[in-house]
Amino acid sequence: MAEANAVKSIQALQGVRLAGTPPDSLWNLSIQHPEEESPKGVIASITPYSRPDINENSAPASYPLVLPALTHPHIHLDKAFVHGAPEYADLLPSTGSFQEALSYTSQAKARFTTPDLLRRGGWLIAESVASGVTAMRAFVEVDNAVELTCLEAGIKLKKTWKESCYVQLVCFAQDPLFSGPHGDENRHLMETAIRKTEVEVIGATPYVEATTADAKRNIEWAIDRAIELGKHVDFHLDYNLDAGKEALVWHVVSTLHAKGWTTKAPGKRIMLGHCTRLTLFSNEEWNRLASQIREYGLPISFVGLPTSDTYMASPPAASDNPPQVRQRGTLHVPDMIRKYGLDAVVGVNNVGNAFTPWGAPDPLSLACLGVGIYQKGTQTDAELLYECVSIRARAAIGLGGPSSGLSLREGQDADLLIIYNVDETGLGTPRTRRTVAEVVWDPPGRISRDVTYAGQLAMKPFAAERVASSPGTTVVLV
């Protein structure tokens, strides 16, 4: 790994602020590192901090805020930053349509090489870690065009970055498995790829199949294989705003129940991504869906992907609506959680390609976007949005731990985001963010953030200076 990505184990954080406590209270965290081959640091104790020399020049507001680390519940590793690589300069969007994105991505995939995949994937992981991400569900495609090249690059990246971030690989079928000229070949390649031990999730895209019948076969195939192999399953599902199309979420739920998921796949979860067609549901349909999921005891999570969805999801092309009233669609995640009792999170999805040419791999910026997208501006709303890109997202991809509440707990994995009071302007005017809401409403830059994974501090170039000079705060390295 590059020098900028070096890690140092932490024994303690002394003099920090924590979510769920009074903003002016200060705390010490001690980190325990088990003596194992791959140690997983956990929070051993949380105790009050007091120093006699605290005064108006070192007020608690200037001390760093420590929060649970961030998580990508849905991000594409192999297609990231295609627009930033000169090899694909001729594949920049011209219409911004979904079909164009599919076509340009297929053309780009034909040019993928291992060095290129490692470079762009490394960019994505590095920027994610610098943002505060310690776990990600990363999609890598398998089909007749790339065969196992993307998967093999993903496995290398998973190993390279194992000391800074947990990369959970999804063996992903973006292309049809049961229709088109390459359906059989794609399915056979997937059958081989999903059996690799490094693959933890089977991913598929039923809506790309030529018929609804084949889309349902796609769903059934993925569920059967996930049960057989003991893996999670993740569907890109119902990515349209066409009320005339059948919502396939009903088939997913009924198939999981009919095939006995809860007894045959213990501990394994189901993720449903995009699902923009569900934004057309009536209140009765939402209640019926939530009731079925609860009745069947299915561990289903939904992931809204607003940067992609608001760019791509629109009514059918035949719509006569002028642009200023043309509907856009993305799951209303806070309402799904609060109104219907569903499990839902928020993810980045794509970065720097034809599906999503805008945005960064920073979950905090996504939580900030959610304030406006969902019209959720209270402090409680901000805390929920932070959960949706941190602990809720982590639980949704099957990594366990609490799924609500941002208060740190003894025994919890020491995956932490540390937000410092840094002068980002360079003009001598640092601005403190004391609460989760302030962090979500106006996220600090990466220069203000440090991240610990398994109790290890990712040593960015500016992190070492803060460890040594942060007033009043002590980071004790092992």
Side-chain angles (χ1 to χ4, degrees):
M1 297 177 67
E3 182 179 351
N5 298 324
V7 295
K8 293 284 187 180
S9 293
I10 293 178
Q11 187 175 34
L13 289 168
Q14 299 173 349
V16 297
R17 291 177 292 116
L18 301 176
T21 66
D24 290 336
S25 63
L26 296 174
W27 304 85
N28 296 330
L29 303 180
S30 66
I31 310 298
Q32 181 180 8
H33 296 269
E35 295 296 330
E36 300 175 5
E37 183 178 345
S38 300
K40 183 68 176 176
V42 298
I43 299 173
S45 67
I46 302 174
T47 56
Y49 168 90
S50 62
R51 280 184 50 166
D53 57 343
I54 292 181
N55 54 47
E56 64 275 7
N57 296 320
S58 58
S62 66
Y63 286 64
L65 174 64
V66 179
L67 302 171
L70 303 172
T71 299
H72 284 316
H74 180 126
I75 198 160
H76 289 266
L77 186 60
D78 48 4
K79 296 186 292 195
F81 300 116
V82 167
H83 289 172
E87 302 95 307
Y88 313 104
D90 59 323
L91 299 178
L92 301 179
S94 59
T95 67
S97 71
F98 186 70
Q99 289 305 317
E100 178 187 68
L102 284 173
S103 173
Y104 279 13
T105 301
S106 293
Q107 293 179 57
K109 284 163 59 177
R111 307 176 193 177
F112 283 180
T113 64
T114 297
D116 164 56
L117 289 163
L118 295 175
R119 178 186 53 170
R120 291 186 290 103
W123 291 346
L124 178 72
I125 298 175
E127 293 193 22
S128 298
V129 170
S131 298
V133 172
T134 61
M136 62 174 66
R137 173 168 286 186
F139 292 80
V140 287
E141 299 191 13
V142 172
D143 55 40
N144 69 294
V146 295
E147 297 183 343
L148 303 185
T149 303
C150 296
L151 175 57
E152 290 166 353
I155 291 171
K156 290 180 180 179
L157 288 166
K158 178 185 178 79
K159 293 176 180 177
T160 299
W161 287 89
K162 66 181 182 180
E163 293 183 349
S164 297
C165 182
Y166 172 68
V167 179
Q168 183 189 66
L169 291 176
V170 185
C171 185
F172 178 53
Q174 171 73 72
D175 290 348
L177 299 177
F178 290 93
S179 57
H182 303 293
D184 288 344
E185 183 181 359
N186 292 340
R187 191 170 69 256
H188 293 323
L189 284 164
M190 283 288 291
E191 290 278 6
T192 298
I194 59 178
R195 285 169 167 76
K196 289 184 175 290
T197 56
E198 296 90 349
V199 171
E200 295 179 66
V201 189
I202 298 173
T205 317
Y207 61 74
V208 300
E209 300 286 359
T211 66
T212 299
D214 281 341
K216 291 180 177 180
R217 291 177 69 194
N218 183 303
I219 290 167
E220 293 159 10
W221 173 88
I223 292 172
D224 282 339
R225 294 301 174 271
I227 290 173
E228 173 194 350
L229 300 173
K231 299 180 187 285
H232 306 289
V233 69
D234 195 309
F235 291 113
H236 287 49
L237 197 73
D238 290 331
Y239 200 15
N240 66 79
L241 284 177
D242 187 348
K245 283 190 175 181
E246 176 184 352
L248 291 172
V249 67
W250 303 111
H251 188 68
V252 171
V253 171
S254 63
T255 301
L256 288 165
H257 178 58
K259 292 181 179 293
W261 181 276
T262 54
T263 56
K264 294 180 180 178
K268 301 304 177 182
R269 300 191 57 83
I270 307 100
M271 183 80 83
L272 306 180
H274 294 294
C275 295
T276 52
R277 169 65 177 80
L278 277 58
T279 65
L280 306 181
F281 272 13
S282 65
N283 194 52
E284 185 276 331
E285 288 173 304
W286 275 115
N287 281 318
R288 179 159 59 94
L289 178 62
S291 177
Q292 282 191 12
I293 291 172
R294 283 193 294 271
E295 178 186 350
Y296 299 156
L298 295 171
I300 291 177
S301 298
F302 294 85
V303 56
L305 306 161
T307 47
S308 292
D309 296 343
T310 56
Y311 179 72
M312 279 288 165
S314 61
S319 172
D320 293 327
N321 289 337
Q324 62 268 28
V325 295
R326 194 168 296 157
Q327 183 182 5
R328 315 304 295 177
T330 192
L331 290 172
H332 198 296
V333 169
D335 275 5
M336 293 174 70
I337 295 169
R338 290 172 172 164
K339 187 174 181 180
Y340 302 108
L342 291 164
D343 189 71
V345 297
V346 184
V348 168
N349 190 34
N350 279 294
V351 180
N353 61 38
F355 287 104
T356 320
W358 68 297
D362 177 11
L364 263 188
S365 67
L366 201 61
C368 180
L369 177 66
V371 175
I373 290 285
Y374 309 127
Q375 198 174 358
K376 296 295 182 184
T378 70
Q379 292 192 65
T380 302
D381 292 332
E383 290 166 0
L384 178 61
L385 288 168
Y386 190 93
E387 289 179 5
C388 288
V389 296
S390 60
I391 57 171
R392 285 181 182 266
R394 182 182 177 88
I397 64 174
L399 298 186
S403 60
S404 63
L406 297 176
S407 298
L408 299 178
R409 302 169 174 85
E410 294 179 358
Q412 185 174 336
D413 290 344
D415 285 15
L416 306 171
L417 174 60
I418 308 169
I419 298 175
Y420 289 87
N421 180 39
V422 172
D423 176 16
E424 298 179 13
T425 69
L427 300 174
T429 56
R431 177 163 59 90
T432 300
R433 292 164 176 83
R434 301 189 311 152
T435 66
V436 175
E438 291 175 78
V439 168
V440 170
W441 291 338
D442 182 16
R446 293 185 182 123
I447 195 172
S448 298
R449 310 180 203 179
D450 279 343
V451 57
T452 72
Y453 171 57
Q456 294 183 318
L457 179 69
M459 297 294 286
K460 295 179 283 188
F462 39 85
E465 297 178 9
R466 289 206 293 269
V467 169
S469 64
S470 183
T473 297
T474 302
V475 179
V476 182
L477 302 176
V478 175

